[in-house]
Amino acid sequence: MATEIREAEQNASVSDSDSGQSDFIETNEIPGKSSNTLLVANDSFEDLSYAELNNTIVASPMGTINSLVKKKAKRSLSLPEREHVEDTVSESEVDDSEVETSEICDDSQVDMIEARVTELSLQETTSQTADAQIPHLMTNTDTDYVNSPEWKRQKKHIFILSESGKPIYSRHGNEDKLVTIMGVMQALVSFVADSNKDTLRSIVAGDHKFVFMTRDHLTFVGVTRGKESTQQMFLQLTYMYNQVISILTHSTLTRIFKQHRNYDLRRPLSGAEKFFDNLLNLMDVEPGLLLTSVRCLPLDSNVRDIVSQTIAQHAKVKDLVFALIIAQNQLVAVVRMKKYYLHPMDLHLILNLINASESFKAAESWTPICLPKFDAAGFLQAHVSYLDEECQTCLLLLSVDIEAFYTLSECKAKIQERLIKYNALAAINNSLKRNSYSIQQCSISDLRHFLYKSRSTAQYTSPELEAPYNTKEEKERLFGLYYYLHDRIHTSGRTLKILFHVGAYETLLGWVTTGFELYAVFGPLVTKMSAIHAVNKLLRWIKKEEDRLFILSSVTF
Amino acid sequence: MNDLNMKSLEAKVVVLGSQGVGKTSVVIRYVGGMFSKAVSPTIGASFFTYKLTLEQYRVKLQVWDTAGQERFRSMAPMYYRKANAAMLVYDITSLESFYDIKDWVKELKKNVDTPIVLCLLGNKSDLDSGRKVSKEDAAEYASSINALFYETSALKNTGIEDAFLQVSKQLIHLYETVPNSGMGSLISQQPPDMFAGSQALKLPDRQEPGQQQTSESNCAC
Ligand SMILES: Nc1nc2c(ncn2[C@@H]2O[C@H](COP(=O)(O)OP(=O)(O)O)[C@@H](O)[C@H]2O)c(=O)[nH]1
Ligand SMILES: [Mg+2]
């Protein structure tokens, strides 16, 4: 049993009613539904549980990347050039059908990293000055800041610390100045673990909620005064964990701590702080993370087809697993290797990478990235480039071949040339300028805003944020409403299908079926029946627009 | 000069050095002719190309600007092993960054056994008041490792043009004197064919990755 200290919930002012499913569906076609899998869509918010933490991630030799690299090695065996064969695989192994390659790229890379990490930790234990290399400027203002009321007033804090209580990351303030508070947090976690053989999940104290997650020798702590539930905070911490894995890989992370329990993880993570910061900022403005789904850039389906087909045709190269175009955090197109799918949580890490690094705008880049849902054990290599002068439309080519840069660079040039020729880049730019769509276009009176997720495709759509939700405070409040509605529907013990909630300033309707999740925000005076009528009208509107709002086909190389 | 008399040369240049010394700024100044105070830290490695005409050669430089961050350190061999020239950049206001160059040189000596043009760059020469590395020390060190040496400023645009020009001259010299320098000649290059398999597309590398592996394992024995 988990330790959970909770204060009584105050829900007196809330009038809710929930009902069974399907009595209300007037349409039998689910908008945005598709059986062509593009993104992994099979795990839901409810599946995210503490139990999952005990399942160790698949060990490296079984990983997806490894099996792809093995395939590559096999392929090279069948090449006519003998020399090449001998170079890649030692002769004794050639006879075996299941070729064990020791020089494959991801392994050798991991080994290099490992060697490097070992080297570093030795440096750390032998040299006193090692710490000085970490580029953190410590000033008095840092110390003052973490003791200031301003620091304490921050709406949300996220901390990452090592098992031994070493600070690794803090959302606000320099983690170096938080040694004491992080020590206390680790002591709490350890105390519950040691004395009760139990796991500390959350503490509610006043209007603050503390959520804890321990995973692979790391402790993630979230502290919030916001509307997020424990489960939702847990999801946010999971994204943070995934971000760590994305930078280091799971294999390297576990190896590091196996060798040196006291290792200062800030060293290999140095320079990556902005990815954590940016990811947390994204969570406050991008509902896709909460819904584990992505938003597509609205685009005529024939334009989108041209884009996908162009990529599929001109990036037909071995070992390329995914090719995708993204623009302003929205998905334009994905082309994938047969049998392999992109997970929305991984896609959010990719969006975060692009979103947080200006450096890609200067030149074509080549960088390792681990996608934990795809394969936590190894890196994919990403060729990153922008296709337009304004640096808004970004092409990513993800390969298992560490040597593929020049090949992919040529693919990029061809794709870019064709997309310009077919006016597809211009179409993408136009869509970006048009700002998605206004709620007015749905012409449903009293409907102010909504989030609609198609579960089968793991994609969602929602209109622009317009008045009254155009100020920072109101946006934040709207997000709070969605967090509340999402939580009530998903984690209230019984799974609600429809939830009607009359609040002070607006009325909320949440509706979850096997095909979709809909969260709608109405004016305060709407009745339950007219709200249900309105969402049915909305579903019909989304259905009509689905070709533009969702990617319903799945293109492979 | 008659176009027909022109020869072509393609060479890979890797830029190495600690984080923040100005590697990206130097490359962007040279290739793009600009300087930005708010340049963002390099992720992985960035690829630039630059074309120049020099001594009957059309030279195409493929410049790899590497990231100085710890987590990308293990990627460096991938770039320097194939490079024909290495620009080693330190910051004249940071002694630490100068010492790091010595580590890089050690690493290159250990892992690269084919000819490579070395060029030491002391960047941020505009910050002379905060200088920690004397020009004399750096020049002496450069000659001890047989490297070219320039003090540069990406901000003031000094020294960078000269440095790349001299490096290019040495590359041409290398190309003409060392038959297997691994540098590509653009003329003899096959037209790339998308569907001929990845082998045909690869630009000439100084070493094939496979050979590298075997030579390494030989050393270990
Ligand atoms: N004063 C001065 N600053 C420079 C110069 N070159 C780079 N910088 C600054 O040094 C910082 C790091 O530069 P960057 O190019 O990212 O370094 P890199 O990490 O080696 O690529 C940036 O703030 C630059 O503006 C220079 O020549 N003079
Ligand atoms: Mg840089």
Side-chain angles (χ1 to χ4, degrees):
Chain A
M1 233 234 307
T3 311
E4 194 150 5
I5 310 161
R6 281 185 144 247
E7 287 192 342
E9 274 195 346
Q10 298 166 333
N11 270 346
S13 62
V14 176
S15 81
D16 291 335
S17 52
D18 59 280
S19 327
Q21 199 182 355
S22 72
D23 325 355
F24 301 107
I25 303 189
E26 289 167 14
T27 162
N28 46 15
E29 276 186 300
I30 294 162
K33 185 184 170 171
S34 171
S35 52
N36 298 317
T37 314
L38 179 72
L39 304 175
V40 179
N42 54 8
D43 60 351
S44 67
F45 184 71
E46 288 91 340
D47 297 338
L48 184 78
S49 70
Y50 285 87
E52 191 191 315
L53 300 187
N54 301 326
N55 302 339
T56 39
I57 291 183
V58 189
S60 121
M62 307 307 291
T64 317
I65 293 176
N66 214 289
S67 69
L68 279 167
V69 174
K70 273 186 186 169
K71 256 190 236 165
K72 174 177 148 81
K74 274 188 202 164
R75 216 171 43 228
S76 72
L77 283 177
S78 61
L79 283 180
E81 302 125 51
R82 262 314 275 177
E83 288 170 48
H84 186 82
V85 174
E86 283 166 3
D87 283 346
T88 346
V89 185
S90 71
E91 276 158 73
S92 59
E93 287 163 340
V94 172
D95 314 8
D96 296 324
S97 57
E98 190 65 11
V99 184
E100 278 297 326
T101 51
S102 51
E103 292 119 323
I104 50 180
C105 62
D106 67 325
D107 257 13
S108 54
Q109 195 187 352
V110 167
D111 288 349
M112 272 192 276
I113 292 176
E114 186 189 7
R116 188 71 201 157
V117 161
T118 315
E119 202 178 304
L120 282 169
S121 28
L122 291 176
Q123 267 176 25
E124 190 180 33
T125 43
T126 52
S127 118
Q128 294 297 318
T129 56
D131 265 348
Q133 290 173 6
I134 298 176
H136 279 293
L137 297 170
M138 283 183 234
T139 59
N140 283 334
T141 48
D142 282 339
T143 321
D144 294 346
Y145 179 56
V146 300
N147 292 319
S148 70
E150 194 197 334
W151 187 82
K152 289 178 183 138
R153 264 201 308 271
Q154 291 290 348
K155 201 157 180 190
K156 188 159 74 188
H157 283 280
I158 301 281
F159 307 102
I160 307 177
L161 42 147
S162 75
E163 215 168 24
S164 54
K166 262 199 167 143
I168 296 170
Y169 171 81
S170 167
R171 175 72 184 87
H172 304 287
N174 187 330
E175 71 284 343
D176 267 332
K177 299 291 154 202
L178 298 166
V179 176
T180 323
I181 196 171
M182 295 221 198
V184 172
M185 289 180 204
Q186 191 53 44
L188 279 171
V189 171
S190 308
F191 177 77
V192 175
D194 296 344
S195 59
N196 304 1
K197 299 278 169 286
D198 205 343
T199 312
L200 179 64
R201 289 182 187 176
S202 66
I203 300 172
V204 176
D207 56 355
H208 282 87
K209 193 177 282 137
F210 294 69
V211 179
F212 299 84
M213 180 178 100
T214 301
R215 221 164 164 178
D216 295 334
H217 310 277
L218 297 178
T219 299
F220 297 79
V221 185
V223 184
T224 182
R225 281 191 295 116
K227 287 276 188 293
E228 301 97 330
S229 67
T230 305
Q231 182 81 349
Q232 287 165 342
M233 283 305 287
F234 187 71
L235 177 69
Q236 299 199 354
L237 297 180
T238 304
Y239 274 108
M240 293 299 277
Y241 167 80
N242 286 354
Q243 183 65 64
V244 174
I245 297 298
S246 180
I247 293 162
L248 296 176
T249 76
H250 179 258
S251 342
T252 305
L253 180 66
T254 46
R255 225 174 305 192
I256 286 174
F257 282 113
K258 211 192 253 169
Q259 289 170 0
H260 304 274
R261 255 186 57 114
N262 262 317
Y263 188 74
D264 188 350
L265 205 62
R266 283 179 302 169
R267 189 174 295 271
L269 288 180
S270 103
E273 302 84 357
K274 65 176 175 183
F275 293 111
F276 296 116
D277 292 347
N278 198 73
L279 186 64
L280 288 167
N281 291 344
L282 266 182
M283 287 186 210
D284 290 339
V285 296
E286 170 51 66
L289 288 106
L290 175 64
L291 300 176
T292 49
S293 60
V294 289
R295 182 204 296 265
C296 301
L297 180 76
L299 213 55
D300 274 353
S301 63
N302 56 338
V303 175
R304 205 186 306 272
D305 286 346
I306 288 172
V307 175
S308 323
Q309 293 302 336
T310 304
I311 298 173
Q313 196 181 342
H314 297 284
K316 229 184 210 357
V317 285
K318 295 187 181 84
D319 305 315
L320 185 60
V321 191
F322 299 114
L324 51 154
I325 293 187
I326 54 186
Q328 287 180 3
N329 273 330
Q330 299 166 86
L331 194 58
V332 177
V334 181
V335 181
R336 55 181 187 83
M337 194 187 257
K338 282 192 189 66
K339 293 199 296 221
Y340 296 99
Y341 305 96
L342 204 48
H343 194 284
M345 286 182 103
D346 284 345
L347 191 44
H348 282 298
L349 294 177
I350 294 175
L351 292 173
N352 188 47
L353 171 75
I354 302 307
N355 203 275
S357 352
E358 286 293 304
S359 121
F360 298 132
K361 295 183 177 173
E364 275 177 54
S365 304
W366 187 233
T367 185
I369 177 173
C370 171
L371 301 178
K373 290 283 184 177
F374 177 73
D375 184 355
F379 285 115
L380 287 171
Q381 300 295 321
H383 178 283
V384 188
S385 61
Y386 281 91
L387 299 176
D388 57 340
E389 287 285 312
E390 298 81 33
C391 290
Q392 292 198 308
T393 307
C394 182
L395 173 72
L396 278 121
L397 304 169
L398 299 168
S399 170
V400 293
D401 182 3
I402 200 163
E403 306 275 341
F405 177 86
Y406 297 104
T407 312
L408 297 179
S409 182
E410 291 190 32
C411 294
K412 180 252 170 173
K414 286 190 180 155
I415 291 168
Q416 185 175 28
E417 184 203 321
R418 298 302 193 286
L419 291 184
I420 291 171
K421 194 169 125 194
Y422 303 145
N423 281 325
L425 269 191
I428 292 169
N429 265 322
N430 277 337
S431 176
L432 286 170
K433 276 195 207 95
R434 269 202 309 272
N435 267 351
S436 194
Y437 56 94
S438 161
I439 188 79
Q440 307 288 329
Q441 283 171 255
C442 315
S443 49
I444 297 168
S445 60
D446 236 16
L447 179 64
R448 292 189 181 170
H449 196 262
F450 68 87
L451 308 173
Y452 174 89
K453 172 186 173 181
S454 155
R455 292 182 114 177
S456 60
T457 55
Q459 297 168 31
Y460 85 96
T461 182
S462 79
E464 288 296 308
L465 288 168
E466 291 165 305
Y469 308 115
N470 49 0
T471 65
K472 191 174 174 288
E473 292 72 31
E474 282 301 295
K475 270 180 206 171
E476 237 177 71
R477 202 175 59 79
L478 179 67
F479 251 72
L481 295 176
Y482 281 133
Y483 269 109
Y484 173 79
L485 190 57
H486 179 271
D487 175 52
R488 288 295 312 270
I489 283 221
H490 289 278
T491 35
S492 52
R494 62 223 155 128
T495 312
L496 298 177
K497 300 303 178 195
I498 277 200
L499 185 107
F500 187 72
H501 168 88
V502 182
Y505 304 104
E506 44 268 284
T507 298
L508 310 176
L509 183 74
W511 189 2
V512 176
T513 73
T514 48
F516 66 81
E517 292 176 26
L518 176 64
Y519 308 89
V521 177
F522 291 92
L525 299 176
V526 76
T527 65
K528 190 168 157 187
M529 274 331 284
S530 60
I532 286 168
H533 183 68
V535 293
N536 270 296
K537 200 172 162 195
L538 176 63
L539 290 177
R540 283 194 294 275
W541 182 84
I542 298 172
K543 182 74 198 167
K544 187 162 65 71
E545 299 286 322
E546 67 176 2
D547 282 342
R548 217 167 53 82
L549 302 178
F550 297 95
I551 304 180
L552 299 174
S553 59
S554 173
V555 181
T556 56
F557 294 114
Chain B
M1 197 180 295
N2 192 329
D3 249 20
L4 292 172
N5 294 332
M6 292 295 282
K7 290 180 264 182
S8 295
L9 178 63
E10 196 170 57
K12 292 192 170 70
V13 180
V14 64
V15 185
L16 302 169
S18 327
Q19 188 183 357
V21 296
K23 297 180 293 300
T24 305
S25 301
V26 164
V27 175
I28 289 184
R29 168 61 83 186
Y30 183 60
V31 175
M34 341 174 259
F35 178 81
S36 155
K37 268 225 149 2
V39 61
S40 148
T42 310
I43 303 296
S46 305
F47 180 70
F48 297 82
T49 57
Y50 189 79
K51 289 176 186 160
L52 69 159
T53 314
L54 189 65
E55 300 171 356
Q56 300 214 339
Y57 278 91
R58 261 194 288 269
V59 182
K60 183 178 176 190
L61 299 178
Q62 300 186 326
V63 182
W64 277 107
D65 173 25
T66 62
Q69 288 169 13
E70 198 55 69
R71 64 199 165 104
F72 297 120
R73 190 63 161 77
S74 61
M75 308 263 302
M78 202 165 90
Y79 301 105
Y80 64 63
R81 275 181 177 146
K82 289 175 189 163
N84 310 108
M87 308 291 254
L88 303 163
V89 190
Y90 68 94
D91 170 351
I92 66 151
T93 69
S94 156
L95 208 52
E96 187 103 41
S97 75
F98 183 60
Y99 292 148
D100 281 349
I101 296 296
K102 303 189 175 178
D103 289 340
W104 278 114
V105 170
K106 252 187 252 159
E107 191 174 327
L108 291 177
K109 283 232 170 82
K110 207 171 95 190
N111 296 315
V112 177
D113 43 17
T114 40
I116 184 166
V117 176
L118 293 181
C119 180
L120 182 66
L121 297 186
N123 191 42
K124 308 199 186 178
S125 62
D126 55 287
L127 300 177
D128 200 54
S129 57
R131 176 189 287 275
K132 296 278 158 49
V133 184
S134 81
K135 201 165 177 172
E136 293 71 35
D137 287 354
E140 194 187 357
Y141 176 67
S143 74
S144 79
I145 57 166
N146 214 354
L148 295 162
F149 169 61
Y150 290 89
E151 284 204 342
T152 58
S153 166
L155 173 69
K156 294 271 157 60
N157 192 17
T158 51
I160 297 172
E161 201 84 28
D162 283 349
F164 276 94
L165 195 68
Q166 286 308 318
V167 166
S168 302
K169 276 188 183 159
Q170 291 220 352
L171 283 169
I172 290 173
H173 182 69
L174 197 68
Y175 180 68
E176 287 177 340
T177 53
V178 184
N180 281 325
S181 61
M183 273 176 275
S185 150
L186 288 175
I187 289 168
S188 65
Q189 208 190 319
Q190 299 286 324
D193 177 356
M194 280 311 294
F195 301 104
S198 57
Q199 286 311 80
L201 278 175
K202 275 205 184 144
L203 294 175
D205 292 331
R206 220 171 33 124
Q207 282 181 316
E208 283 302 314
Q211 290 166 357
Q212 230 165 262
Q213 298 281 10
T214 37
S215 71
E216 252 182 15
S217 55
N218 285 347
C219 292
C221 290

